[in-house]
């Protein structure tokens, strides 16, 4: 996968919040093979020097995010602070519009994306599966879209698979990353089988009984889903089709 001119070897992007300990976080990251880690500046205050050293040792690319921001001003200011703290122009842009579902405010999202792109940020927008919103984000300067699968932390998987398929078809040359709501490796594999470029998740690994084993399971599922899509999945059929040919079989009178 290539985003903003950078090759990313792994199609799994992993969050760094809610792990039982820093040691388990480090082990889970290693087991996942993730190439990108998200870090929340607003919710965790940058994590402190020890946390920043830990994530630096993983060798992963950092993707700070604006989690917890509800206005354009909050999101832009948080992104500017994150750039200073982590030394990267990459930013996962979240502008939350609904406190319960954590659904993004797509109007504020587009405005914040336009401001940040003009300031030289490489914006990864957390958005809905709406095609028009996607068009507006690309016009604002985004080169990647991150539609939600379901509300953040819900584990519901892909709630609107038909809409996500439509988005994949509508933006064939745009990197698309399913972000939020993935709760099981099978759900991540489903996203990859649809042709999405990557999956970003956090809670499903961090809150698992064994985060390290779960990280490894997600890595395998994502790889399998991507390989299946590349190989060409058989289309669903309304009727049965025999796998053994009828012509040429012997007849018994």
């Amino acid at each position: 996968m290539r985003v903003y001119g950078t090759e990313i070897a792994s199609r799994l992007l992993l969050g760094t919040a809610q792990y039982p300990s820093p040691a388990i976080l480090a082990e889970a990251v290693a087991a996942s093979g993730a190439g990108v880690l998200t870090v929340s500046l607003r919710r965790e205050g940058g994590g402190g020097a020890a946390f920043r050293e830990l994530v630096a040792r993983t060798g992963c690319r950092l993707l700070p995010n604006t989690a917890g921001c509800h206005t354009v001003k909050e999101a832009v200011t948080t992104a500017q602070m994150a750039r200073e703290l982590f030394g990267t122009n990459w930013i996962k842009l979240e502008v939350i519009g609904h406190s319960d579902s954590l659904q993004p405010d797509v109007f504020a999202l587009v405005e914040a994306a336009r401001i940040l792109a003009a300031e030289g940020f490489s914006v990864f927008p957390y958005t809905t599966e709406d095609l028009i919103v996607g068009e507006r984000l690309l016009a604002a300067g985004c080169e990647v879209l991150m539609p939600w699968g379901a509300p953040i932390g819900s584990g519901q998987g892909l709630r609107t698979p038909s809409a996500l398929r439509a988005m994949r078809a509508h933006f064939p040359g745009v990197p698309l990353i399913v972000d939020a709501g993935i709760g099981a490796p099978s759900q991540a594999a489903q996203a990859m089988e649809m042709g999405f470029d990557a999956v970003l998740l956090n809670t499903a690994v961090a809150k698992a009984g064994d985060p390290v084993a779960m990280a490894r399971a997600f890595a395998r599922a994502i790889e399998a889903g991507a390989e299946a899509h590349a190989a060409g999945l058989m289309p669903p059929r309304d009727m049965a089709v025999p796998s053994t040919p009828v012509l040429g079989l012997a007849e018994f009178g």
Side-chain angles (χ1 to χ4, degrees):
M1 182 174 65
R2 188 174 183 85
V3 289
Y4 290 108
T6 300
E7 294 286 346
I8 300 176
S10 174
R11 296 182 181 274
L12 171 58
L13 289 73
L14 197 62
T16 55
Q18 306 183 72
Y19 285 84
S21 71
I24 292 177
L25 166 60
E27 289 183 49
V29 170
S32 73
V36 175
L37 300 180
T38 62
V39 182
S40 173
L41 176 67
R42 187 177 176 85
R43 286 182 177 164
E44 300 182 33
F51 174 78
R52 292 195 295 275
E53 289 175 8
L54 184 151
V55 294
R57 286 197 300 270
T58 66
C60 296
R61 179 96 187 213
L62 293 187
L63 178 61
N65 67 43
T66 62
C69 294
H70 292 259
T71 68
V72 172
K73 183 177 181 179
E74 281 183 314
V76 169
T77 301
T78 301
Q80 293 167 338
M81 293 172 62
R83 177 161 61 180
E84 293 298 320
L85 184 61
F86 294 105
T88 177
N89 287 326
W90 281 23
I91 191 74
K92 178 189 170 188
L93 180 60
E94 297 183 27
V95 186
I96 301 302
H98 192 273
S99 297
D100 292 330
S101 68
L102 301 182
Q103 180 172 336
D105 178 341
V106 295
F107 304 101
L109 180 68
V110 171
E111 183 179 350
R114 183 177 294 108
I115 293 171
L116 292 174
E119 292 186 5
F121 282 89
S122 298
V123 181
F124 292 68
Y126 163 62
T127 183
T128 66
E129 65 274 45
D130 187 282
L131 302 183
I132 305 305
V133 174
E135 294 280 10
R136 297 291 188 271
L137 287 168
L138 295 177
C142 298
E143 296 182 13
V144 59
L145 300 174
M146 302 178 67
W148 66 343
I152 294 171
S154 68
Q156 296 178 22
L158 308 183
R159 291 201 306 178
T160 57
S162 59
L164 289 169
R165 288 192 185 93
M167 191 173 198
R168 176 69 284 176
H170 189 72
F171 300 108
V174 177
L176 299 182
I177 301 171
V178 172
D179 177 17
I182 297 294
S186 58
Q187 298 165 354
Q190 181 187 11
M192 300 307 296
E193 289 171 357
M194 288 182 181
F196 281 84
D197 296 280
V199 171
L200 193 159
L201 55 92
N202 185 172
T203 308
V205 170
K207 304 299 285 186
D210 186 338
V212 178
M214 187 61 74
R216 189 178 300 114
F218 267 106
R220 291 169 175 168
I222 289 171
E223 182 179 353
E227 188 171 350
H229 175 74
L233 293 163
M234 68 172 288
R237 298 169 174 147
D238 293 329
M239 301 293 291
V241 177
S243 57
T244 302
V246 177
L247 293 176
L249 292 181
E251 295 185 11
F252 300 91

